[in-house]
Amino acid sequence: MVAPLLECRNVRKDYGALAAVDGVDLSVHAGETIGIGGPNGAGKTTFFDLISGLTPASGGDILFHGRSISRIPAHKFLPMGMARTFQVSSGFTSLTVMQNMLVSILFGSGLERPDLRIQTKHRRRAAEQLDRFNLSHLADTEVAEIPALARKKLMVATAVAHEPKLLLLDEPVSGLMPPEVDSFIEMVLALRKSGICIVFIEHVMRFLMTVAERALIMHQGKLIYDGAPAGIASDETVKSVYLGSA
Ligand code: ATP
């Protein structure tokens, strides 16, 4: 059997007496698209922070391509093949869309001292990425001026500029209107087709149900569901959590 792309073994994160992530075991295989849901405070973002090296685990181990990454600093993750977006739109708001893409391409290389001279090949690559995400028409517009949907797409575009094997998206469609969610769904489905492994957190169930092939539900730091998205609604444990009796 092929080794998992990402493996979490009994991973935990304690904040004092609170177990924000409480002994999670998970194997993610190349090409999978996984959606993580669960109530507020369930531990989803903390779990992403652990996977992407932003916070150290209190216990357990995380392996990427079979190698422990628990002690590797976060800035090494992109060149290793793991990219992530955040709940709140990031990016340099006073720079243009093209400049943001160029910054991502130059600084995401993982080199201790990246060569900051912008060369034709960098511009070409940036233009290709913007084209792929239908952002070319906004290339010369400052990020502060572009619509919310375009900003969210730009975050994904900069994250995948280095062709990661694993893409983590934290609440990618939060705050978008339903037609914008549709547009984002199309974009993620196209990414999925390209073979990249995508793990995302999302409260918008329509997005999760349409995009994910496998769903995880977290509650009080634990995984309480791991299976087909279609099975969530009829799962007794999930129902009891959402109806408030767990
Ligand atoms: P949401 O859906 O609202 O984003 P979540 O499932 O992502 O929630 P987390 O943000 O991971 O949940 O939080 C899990 C728990 O850990 C919460 O009780 C939160 O208050 C707590 N927590 C998160 N970060 C810290 C921190 N730095 N210090 C103390 N407690 C924290």
Side-chain angles (χ1 to χ4, degrees):
M1 188 168 164
V2 185
L5 179 61
L6 176 78
E7 196 178 353
C8 299
R9 295 181 181 162
N10 196 22
V11 172
R12 56 181 307 112
K13 180 72 183 181
D14 301 315
Y15 290 114
L18 174 79
V21 173
D22 193 1
V24 169
D25 288 305
L26 176 69
S27 290
V28 176
H29 291 271
E32 279 193 294
T33 302
I34 300 178
I36 307 180
N40 292 116
K44 305 179 295 295
T45 295
T46 305
F47 184 49
F48 258 30
D49 289 347
L50 292 169
I51 296 172
S52 56
L54 284 190
T55 190
S58 311
D61 201 4
I62 302 171
L63 295 91
F64 188 58
H65 285 298
R67 172 184 170 212
S68 175
I69 54 170
S70 298
R71 290 177 199 287
I72 293 180
H75 71 275
K76 303 264 186 198
F77 278 49
L78 188 54
M80 236 165 40
M82 189 194 302
R84 173 186 175 169
T85 68
F86 291 84
Q87 218 166 321
V88 177
S89 288
S90 51
F92 301 100
T93 50
S94 60
L95 297 184
T96 66
V97 166
M98 172 57 92
Q99 286 166 336
N100 269 268
M101 184 55 81
L102 283 167
V103 167
S104 169
I105 285 172
L106 292 171
F107 284 91
S109 61
L111 300 174
E112 293 295 334
R113 289 170 190 270
D115 180 356
L116 297 183
R117 281 169 305 177
I118 299 172
Q119 298 167 6
T120 314
K121 65 175 182 186
H122 297 135
R123 282 195 189 282
R124 198 171 47 234
R125 209 161 122 216
E128 281 166 6
Q129 283 299 314
L130 295 184
D131 187 41
R132 182 178 176 196
F133 289 89
N134 293 322
L135 293 167
S136 304
H137 62 293
L138 296 169
D140 298 323
T141 310
E142 281 186 15
V143 167
E145 306 297 324
I146 68 175
L149 173 64
R151 235 166 128 165
K152 286 188 180 275
K153 285 188 174 180
L154 178 61
M155 278 206 303
V156 177
T158 52
V160 300
H162 289 268
E163 296 180 10
K165 294 278 179 287
L166 174 62
L167 175 65
L168 304 173
L169 306 174
D170 192 349
E171 296 196 33
V173 297
S174 71
L176 294 183
M177 305 291 283
E180 296 172 326
V181 172
D182 290 338
S183 169
F184 210 91
I185 286 173
E186 255 179 56
M187 186 198 79
V188 177
L189 288 177
L191 266 181
R192 202 177 94 172
K193 260 196 201 148
S194 76
I196 186 173
C197 177
I198 304 169
V199 181
F200 65 85
I201 296 170
E202 193 48 74
H203 285 285
V204 178
M205 287 312 274
R206 185 164 67 88
F207 181 85
L208 195 151
M209 303 297 286
T210 314
V211 171
E213 298 159 308
R214 177 179 167 197
L216 308 174
I217 302 292
M218 281 189 84
H219 177 54
Q220 295 178 344
K222 293 182 190 297
L223 283 185
I224 58 162
Y225 182 87
D226 181 350
I232 295 175
S234 55
D235 185 85
E236 290 305 324
T237 312
V238 174
K239 274 201 283 189
S240 66
V241 164
Y242 276 97
L243 295 175
S245 58

mmCIF file of all heavy atoms in Angstrom, residues 196-234:
data_model
loop_
_atom_site.group_PDB
_atom_site.id
_atom_site.type_symbol
_atom_site.label_atom_id
_atom_site.label_comp_id
_atom_site.label_asym_id
_atom_site.label_seq_id
_atom_site.Cartn_x
_atom_site.Cartn_y
_atom_site.Cartn_z
ATOM 1 N N ILE A 196 -3.861 17.668 -7.186
ATOM 2 C CA ILE A 196 -3.337 18.166 -5.915
ATOM 3 C C ILE A 196 -4.231 17.654 -4.768
ATOM 4 O O ILE A 196 -5.441 17.534 -4.925
ATOM 5 C CB ILE A 196 -3.299 19.713 -5.951
ATOM 6 C CG1 ILE A 196 -2.634 20.285 -4.712
ATOM 7 C CG2 ILE A 196 -4.660 20.312 -6.106
ATOM 8 C CD1 ILE A 196 -2.430 21.804 -4.810
ATOM 9 N N CYS A 197 -3.626 17.332 -3.656
ATOM 10 C CA CYS A 197 -4.386 16.892 -2.478
ATOM 11 C C CYS A 197 -4.839 18.143 -1.719
ATOM 12 O O CYS A 197 -4.025 19.016 -1.416
ATOM 13 C CB CYS A 197 -3.470 16.032 -1.610
ATOM 14 S SG CYS A 197 -4.218 15.484 -0.083
ATOM 15 N N ILE A 198 -6.130 18.220 -1.457
ATOM 16 C CA ILE A 198 -6.674 19.421 -0.796
ATOM 17 C C ILE A 198 -7.359 19.016 0.504
ATOM 18 O O ILE A 198 -8.182 18.105 0.524
ATOM 19 C CB ILE A 198 -7.713 20.131 -1.705
ATOM 20 C CG1 ILE A 198 -7.093 20.477 -3.070
ATOM 21 C CG2 ILE A 198 -8.256 21.387 -1.034
ATOM 22 C CD1 ILE A 198 -8.111 20.939 -4.109
ATOM 23 N N VAL A 199 -6.983 19.679 1.587
ATOM 24 C CA VAL A 199 -7.689 19.503 2.856
ATOM 25 C C VAL A 199 -8.191 20.883 3.260
ATOM 26 O O VAL A 199 -7.408 21.833 3.310
ATOM 27 C CB VAL A 199 -6.769 18.920 3.953
ATOM 28 C CG1 VAL A 199 -7.555 18.724 5.255
ATOM 29 C CG2 VAL A 199 -6.157 17.594 3.503
ATOM 30 N N PHE A 200 -9.491 20.989 3.507
ATOM 31 C CA PHE A 200 -10.022 22.311 3.846
ATOM 32 C C PHE A 200 -10.931 22.239 5.061
ATOM 33 O O PHE A 200 -11.520 21.199 5.364
ATOM 34 C CB PHE A 200 -10.751 22.939 2.651
ATOM 35 C CG PHE A 200 -11.999 22.213 2.216
ATOM 36 C CD1 PHE A 200 -13.230 22.455 2.807
ATOM 37 C CD2 PHE A 200 -11.929 21.257 1.204
ATOM 38 C CE1 PHE A 200 -14.371 21.780 2.405
ATOM 39 C CE2 PHE A 200 -13.072 20.571 0.796
ATOM 40 C CZ PHE A 200 -14.294 20.834 1.395
ATOM 41 N N ILE A 201 -11.006 23.375 5.754
ATOM 42 C CA ILE A 201 -11.955 23.551 6.859
ATOM 43 C C ILE A 201 -13.084 24.404 6.300
ATOM 44 O O ILE A 201 -12.824 25.404 5.631
ATOM 45 C CB ILE A 201 -11.300 24.329 8.020
ATOM 46 C CG1 ILE A 201 -10.146 23.546 8.619
ATOM 47 C CG2 ILE A 201 -12.334 24.684 9.089
ATOM 48 C CD1 ILE A 201 -9.308 24.362 9.607
ATOM 49 N N GLU A 202 -14.332 24.039 6.576
ATOM 50 C CA GLU A 202 -15.413 24.892 6.086
ATOM 51 C C GLU A 202 -16.697 24.662 6.878
ATOM 52 O O GLU A 202 -17.075 23.535 7.146
ATOM 53 C CB GLU A 202 -15.645 24.636 4.587
ATOM 54 C CG GLU A 202 -16.521 25.667 3.906
ATOM 55 C CD GLU A 202 -16.126 27.101 4.205
ATOM 56 O OE1 GLU A 202 -15.118 27.569 3.673
ATOM 57 O OE2 GLU A 202 -16.827 27.773 5.011
ATOM 58 N N HIS A 203 -17.337 25.793 7.231
ATOM 59 C CA HIS A 203 -18.653 25.729 7.880
ATOM 60 C C HIS A 203 -19.770 25.700 6.847
ATOM 61 O O HIS A 203 -20.886 25.294 7.151
ATOM 62 C CB HIS A 203 -18.872 26.961 8.762
ATOM 63 C CG HIS A 203 -18.103 26.928 10.039
ATOM 64 N ND1 HIS A 203 -18.458 26.144 11.108
ATOM 65 C CD2 HIS A 203 -16.981 27.560 10.430
ATOM 66 C CE1 HIS A 203 -17.603 26.304 12.098
ATOM 67 N NE2 HIS A 203 -16.677 27.163 11.709
ATOM 68 N N VAL A 204 -19.466 26.212 5.638
ATOM 69 C CA VAL A 204 -20.503 26.258 4.594
ATOM 70 C C VAL A 204 -20.673 24.841 4.044
ATOM 71 O O VAL A 204 -19.853 24.348 3.260
ATOM 72 C CB VAL A 204 -20.114 27.258 3.465
ATOM 73 C CG1 VAL A 204 -21.149 27.271 2.351
ATOM 74 C CG2 VAL A 204 -19.914 28.655 4.046
ATOM 75 N N MET A 205 -21.748 24.188 4.478
ATOM 76 C CA MET A 205 -21.913 22.763 4.179
ATOM 77 C C MET A 205 -22.084 22.501 2.684
ATOM 78 O O MET A 205 -21.646 21.474 2.179
ATOM 79 C CB MET A 205 -23.095 22.169 4.959
ATOM 80 C CG MET A 205 -22.823 22.000 6.437
ATOM 81 S SD MET A 205 -21.235 21.179 6.786
ATOM 82 C CE MET A 205 -21.680 19.459 6.716
ATOM 83 N N ARG A 206 -22.685 23.442 1.961
ATOM 84 C CA ARG A 206 -22.859 23.258 0.512
ATOM 85 C C ARG A 206 -21.495 23.103 -0.156
ATOM 86 O O ARG A 206 -21.298 22.269 -1.039
ATOM 87 C CB ARG A 206 -23.616 24.451 -0.083
ATOM 88 C CG ARG A 206 -23.947 24.305 -1.561
ATOM 89 C CD ARG A 206 -25.012 25.306 -1.967
ATOM 90 N NE ARG A 206 -24.534 26.680 -1.905
ATOM 91 C CZ ARG A 206 -23.924 27.315 -2.891
ATOM 92 N NH1 ARG A 206 -23.689 26.674 -4.026
ATOM 93 N NH2 ARG A 206 -23.537 28.558 -2.774
ATOM 94 N N PHE A 207 -20.543 23.909 0.280
ATOM 95 C CA PHE A 207 -19.186 23.822 -0.277
ATOM 96 C C PHE A 207 -18.571 22.477 0.087
ATOM 97 O O PHE A 207 -18.039 21.756 -0.756
ATOM 98 C CB PHE A 207 -18.334 24.981 0.270
ATOM 99 C CG PHE A 207 -16.932 24.986 -0.269
ATOM 100 C CD1 PHE A 207 -16.653 25.599 -1.484
ATOM 101 C CD2 PHE A 207 -15.895 24.383 0.423
ATOM 102 C CE1 PHE A 207 -15.357 25.607 -1.992
ATOM 103 C CE2 PHE A 207 -14.605 24.387 -0.077
ATOM 104 C CZ PHE A 207 -14.334 24.995 -1.284
ATOM 105 N N LEU A 208 -18.680 22.121 1.367
ATOM 106 C CA LEU A 208 -18.076 20.866 1.828
ATOM 107 C C LEU A 208 -18.670 19.666 1.097
ATOM 108 O O LEU A 208 -17.953 18.788 0.613
ATOM 109 C CB LEU A 208 -18.267 20.742 3.343
ATOM 110 C CG LEU A 208 -17.412 19.707 4.055
ATOM 111 C CD1 LEU A 208 -17.129 20.120 5.493
ATOM 112 C CD2 LEU A 208 -18.045 18.327 4.058
ATOM 113 N N MET A 209 -19.994 19.655 0.989
ATOM 114 C CA MET A 209 -20.662 18.502 0.376
ATOM 115 C C MET A 209 -20.365 18.390 -1.121
ATOM 116 O O MET A 209 -20.327 17.303 -1.673
ATOM 117 C CB MET A 209 -22.189 18.595 0.559
ATOM 118 C CG MET A 209 -22.654 18.707 1.993
ATOM 119 S SD MET A 209 -22.258 17.279 2.989
ATOM 120 C CE MET A 209 -23.422 16.098 2.403
ATOM 121 N N THR A 210 -20.139 19.519 -1.776
ATOM 122 C CA THR A 210 -19.906 19.498 -3.227
ATOM 123 C C THR A 210 -18.457 19.176 -3.562
ATOM 124 O O THR A 210 -18.178 18.496 -4.544
ATOM 125 C CB THR A 210 -20.258 20.869 -3.863
ATOM 126 O OG1 THR A 210 -21.496 21.301 -3.353
ATOM 127 C CG2 THR A 210 -20.338 20.793 -5.373
ATOM 128 N N VAL A 211 -17.544 19.687 -2.745
ATOM 129 C CA VAL A 211 -16.134 19.625 -3.112
ATOM 130 C C VAL A 211 -15.411 18.409 -2.517
ATOM 131 O O VAL A 211 -14.551 17.813 -3.164
ATOM 132 C CB VAL A 211 -15.428 20.939 -2.683
ATOM 133 C CG1 VAL A 211 -13.933 20.829 -2.839
ATOM 134 C CG2 VAL A 211 -15.957 22.116 -3.493
ATOM 135 N N ALA A 212 -15.786 18.037 -1.284
ATOM 136 C CA ALA A 212 -15.027 16.982 -0.599
ATOM 137 C C ALA A 212 -15.436 15.586 -1.047
ATOM 138 O O ALA A 212 -16.607 15.327 -1.325
ATOM 139 C CB ALA A 212 -15.219 17.105 0.913
ATOM 140 N N GLU A 213 -14.444 14.708 -1.124
ATOM 141 C CA GLU A 213 -14.738 13.282 -1.371
ATOM 142 C C GLU A 213 -14.806 12.548 -0.034
ATOM 143 O O GLU A 213 -15.382 11.478 0.070
ATOM 144 C CB GLU A 213 -13.598 12.660 -2.183
ATOM 145 C CG GLU A 213 -13.406 13.272 -3.546
ATOM 146 C CD GLU A 213 -12.019 12.999 -4.086
ATOM 147 O OE1 GLU A 213 -11.026 13.277 -3.372
ATOM 148 O OE2 GLU A 213 -11.924 12.510 -5.211
ATOM 149 N N ARG A 214 -14.185 13.156 0.962
ATOM 150 C CA ARG A 214 -14.152 12.552 2.295
ATOM 151 C C ARG A 214 -14.350 13.683 3.303
ATOM 152 O O ARG A 214 -13.801 14.778 3.118
ATOM 153 C CB ARG A 214 -12.782 11.902 2.487
ATOM 154 C CG ARG A 214 -12.511 11.281 3.843
ATOM 155 C CD ARG A 214 -11.108 10.679 3.816
ATOM 156 N NE ARG A 214 -10.635 10.329 5.130
ATOM 157 C CZ ARG A 214 -9.356 10.093 5.429
ATOM 158 N NH1 ARG A 214 -8.425 10.157 4.474
ATOM 159 N NH2 ARG A 214 -8.994 9.789 6.657
ATOM 160 N N ALA A 215 -15.154 13.419 4.325
ATOM 161 C CA ALA A 215 -15.430 14.466 5.312
ATOM 162 C C ALA A 215 -14.964 14.028 6.693
ATOM 163 O O ALA A 215 -15.060 12.847 7.053
ATOM 164 C CB ALA A 215 -16.925 14.759 5.340
ATOM 165 N N LEU A 216 -14.453 14.992 7.434
ATOM 166 C CA LEU A 216 -14.093 14.765 8.830
ATOM 167 C C LEU A 216 -14.891 15.762 9.660
ATOM 168 O O LEU A 216 -15.019 16.918 9.271
ATOM 169 C CB LEU A 216 -12.599 15.035 9.070
ATOM 170 C CG LEU A 216 -11.583 14.352 8.163
ATOM 171 C CD1 LEU A 216 -10.178 14.865 8.486
ATOM 172 C CD2 LEU A 216 -11.631 12.839 8.360
ATOM 173 N N ILE A 217 -15.407 15.317 10.781
ATOM 174 C CA ILE A 217 -16.053 16.259 11.697
ATOM 175 C C ILE A 217 -15.287 16.221 13.016
ATOM 176 O O ILE A 217 -15.002 15.141 13.567
ATOM 177 C CB ILE A 217 -17.551 15.904 11.940
ATOM 178 C CG1 ILE A 217 -18.344 15.881 10.624
ATOM 179 C CG2 ILE A 217 -18.183 16.884 12.934
ATOM 180 C CD1 ILE A 217 -18.531 17.210 9.923
ATOM 181 N N MET A 218 -14.952 17.411 13.495
ATOM 182 C CA MET A 218 -14.245 17.521 14.782
ATOM 183 C C MET A 218 -15.196 18.046 15.843
ATOM 184 O O MET A 218 -16.081 18.851 15.559
ATOM 185 C CB MET A 218 -13.053 18.486 14.681
ATOM 186 C CG MET A 218 -11.830 17.895 14.049
ATOM 187 S SD MET A 218 -10.389 18.985 14.185
ATOM 188 C CE MET A 218 -9.777 18.564 15.825
ATOM 189 N N HIS A 219 -14.974 17.589 17.055
ATOM 190 C CA HIS A 219 -15.741 18.092 18.205
ATOM 191 C C HIS A 219 -14.867 17.944 19.437
ATOM 192 O O HIS A 219 -14.329 16.852 19.689
ATOM 193 C CB HIS A 219 -17.043 17.284 18.353
ATOM 194 C CG HIS A 219 -17.858 17.670 19.549
ATOM 195 N ND1 HIS A 219 -18.259 18.968 19.789
ATOM 196 C CD2 HIS A 219 -18.338 16.934 20.582
ATOM 197 C CE1 HIS A 219 -18.966 18.997 20.904
ATOM 198 N NE2 HIS A 219 -19.022 17.779 21.410
ATOM 199 N N GLN A 220 -14.715 19.029 20.156
ATOM 200 C CA GLN A 220 -13.899 19.029 21.385
ATOM 201 C C GLN A 220 -12.532 18.376 21.167
ATOM 202 O O GLN A 220 -12.082 17.550 21.956
ATOM 203 C CB GLN A 220 -14.661 18.348 22.533
ATOM 204 C CG GLN A 220 -15.904 19.145 22.905
ATOM 205 C CD GLN A 220 -16.736 18.520 24.006
ATOM 206 O OE1 GLN A 220 -16.593 17.342 24.329
ATOM 207 N NE2 GLN A 220 -17.631 19.311 24.564
ATOM 208 N N GLY A 221 -11.900 18.751 20.049
ATOM 209 C CA GLY A 221 -10.530 18.316 19.791
ATOM 210 C C GLY A 221 -10.383 16.928 19.202
ATOM 211 O O GLY A 221 -9.272 16.499 18.892
ATOM 212 N N LYS A 222 -11.512 16.212 19.046
ATOM 213 C CA LYS A 222 -11.437 14.835 18.527
ATOM 214 C C LYS A 222 -12.130 14.733 17.178
ATOM 215 O O LYS A 222 -13.050 15.499 16.892
ATOM 216 C CB LYS A 222 -12.133 13.874 19.498
ATOM 217 C CG LYS A 222 -11.440 13.730 20.845
ATOM 218 C CD LYS A 222 -12.225 12.701 21.678
ATOM 219 C CE LYS A 222 -11.777 12.649 23.125
ATOM 220 N NZ LYS A 222 -10.412 12.222 23.326
ATOM 221 N N LEU A 223 -11.692 13.735 16.404
ATOM 222 C CA LEU A 223 -12.410 13.432 15.163
ATOM 223 C C LEU A 223 -13.571 12.523 15.524
ATOM 224 O O LEU A 223 -13.371 11.426 16.041
ATOM 225 C CB LEU A 223 -11.496 12.682 14.187
ATOM 226 C CG LEU A 223 -10.457 13.493 13.422
ATOM 227 C CD1 LEU A 223 -9.729 12.607 12.430
ATOM 228 C CD2 LEU A 223 -11.110 14.667 12.702
ATOM 229 N N ILE A 224 -14.789 12.982 15.253
ATOM 230 C CA ILE A 224 -15.945 12.153 15.600
ATOM 231 C C ILE A 224 -16.586 11.543 14.352
ATOM 232 O O ILE A 224 -17.505 10.741 14.458
ATOM 233 C CB ILE A 224 -17.012 12.941 16.399
ATOM 234 C CG1 ILE A 224 -17.498 14.159 15.601
ATOM 235 C CG2 ILE A 224 -16.479 13.340 17.765
ATOM 236 C CD1 ILE A 224 -18.819 14.713 16.099
ATOM 237 N N TYR A 225 -16.106 11.965 13.174
ATOM 238 C CA TYR A 225 -16.645 11.377 11.937
ATOM 239 C C TYR A 225 -15.555 11.397 10.886
ATOM 240 O O TYR A 225 -14.827 12.376 10.750
ATOM 241 C CB TYR A 225 -17.855 12.184 11.426
ATOM 242 C CG TYR A 225 -18.481 11.613 10.177
ATOM 243 C CD1 TYR A 225 -19.458 10.627 10.247
ATOM 244 C CD2 TYR A 225 -18.071 12.043 8.909
ATOM 245 C CE1 TYR A 225 -20.015 10.080 9.082
ATOM 246 C CE2 TYR A 225 -18.619 11.506 7.752
ATOM 247 C CZ TYR A 225 -19.591 10.525 7.850
ATOM 248 O OH TYR A 225 -20.136 9.988 6.710
ATOM 249 N N ASP A 226 -15.425 10.305 10.163
ATOM 250 C CA ASP A 226 -14.480 10.221 9.053
ATOM 251 C C ASP A 226 -15.131 9.314 8.012
ATOM 252 O O ASP A 226 -15.205 8.097 8.185
ATOM 253 C CB ASP A 226 -13.149 9.615 9.550
ATOM 254 C CG ASP A 226 -12.109 9.524 8.431
ATOM 255 O OD1 ASP A 226 -12.451 9.729 7.260
ATOM 256 O OD2 ASP A 226 -10.938 9.235 8.759
ATOM 257 N N GLY A 227 -15.652 9.924 6.969
ATOM 258 C CA GLY A 227 -16.353 9.098 5.977
ATOM 259 C C GLY A 227 -16.885 9.926 4.835
ATOM 260 O O GLY A 227 -16.455 11.061 4.605
ATOM 261 N N ALA A 228 -17.852 9.362 4.148
ATOM 262 C CA ALA A 228 -18.426 10.045 2.984
ATOM 263 C C ALA A 228 -19.209 11.271 3.441
ATOM 264 O O ALA A 228 -19.912 11.213 4.452
ATOM 265 C CB ALA A 228 -19.353 9.095 2.244
ATOM 266 N N PRO A 229 -19.101 12.387 2.697
ATOM 267 C CA PRO A 229 -19.879 13.582 3.059
ATOM 268 C C PRO A 229 -21.376 13.271 3.186
ATOM 269 O O PRO A 229 -22.049 13.790 4.071
ATOM 270 C CB PRO A 229 -19.592 14.557 1.910
ATOM 271 C CG PRO A 229 -18.262 14.146 1.380
ATOM 272 C CD PRO A 229 -18.197 12.663 1.545
ATOM 273 N N ALA A 230 -21.869 12.386 2.309
ATOM 274 C CA ALA A 230 -23.304 12.087 2.308
ATOM 275 C C ALA A 230 -23.767 11.425 3.603
ATOM 276 O O ALA A 230 -24.957 11.444 3.926
ATOM 277 C CB ALA A 230 -23.636 11.192 1.119
ATOM 278 N N GLY A 231 -22.822 10.863 4.356
ATOM 279 C CA GLY A 231 -23.209 10.150 5.583
ATOM 280 C C GLY A 231 -23.271 11.045 6.815
ATOM 281 O O GLY A 231 -23.710 10.606 7.892
ATOM 282 N N ILE A 232 -22.840 12.297 6.684
ATOM 283 C CA ILE A 232 -22.759 13.178 7.864
ATOM 284 C C ILE A 232 -24.134 13.356 8.509
ATOM 285 O O ILE A 232 -24.293 13.193 9.716
ATOM 286 C CB ILE A 232 -22.204 14.582 7.476
ATOM 287 C CG1 ILE A 232 -20.766 14.483 7.003
ATOM 288 C CG2 ILE A 232 -22.294 15.539 8.657
ATOM 289 C CD1 ILE A 232 -20.197 15.810 6.502
ATOM 290 N N ALA A 233 -25.116 13.687 7.660
ATOM 291 C CA ALA A 233 -26.431 14.085 8.178
ATOM 292 C C ALA A 233 -27.115 12.965 8.956
ATOM 293 O O ALA A 233 -27.929 13.221 9.849
ATOM 294 C CB ALA A 233 -27.316 14.545 7.030
ATOM 295 N N SER A 234 -26.776 11.702 8.622
ATOM 296 C CA SER A 234 -27.474 10.601 9.299
ATOM 297 C C SER A 234 -26.625 9.976 10.407
ATOM 298 O O SER A 234 -27.049 8.996 11.026
ATOM 299 C CB SER A 234 -27.870 9.537 8.267
ATOM 300 O OG SER A 234 -26.718 9.128 7.559
#
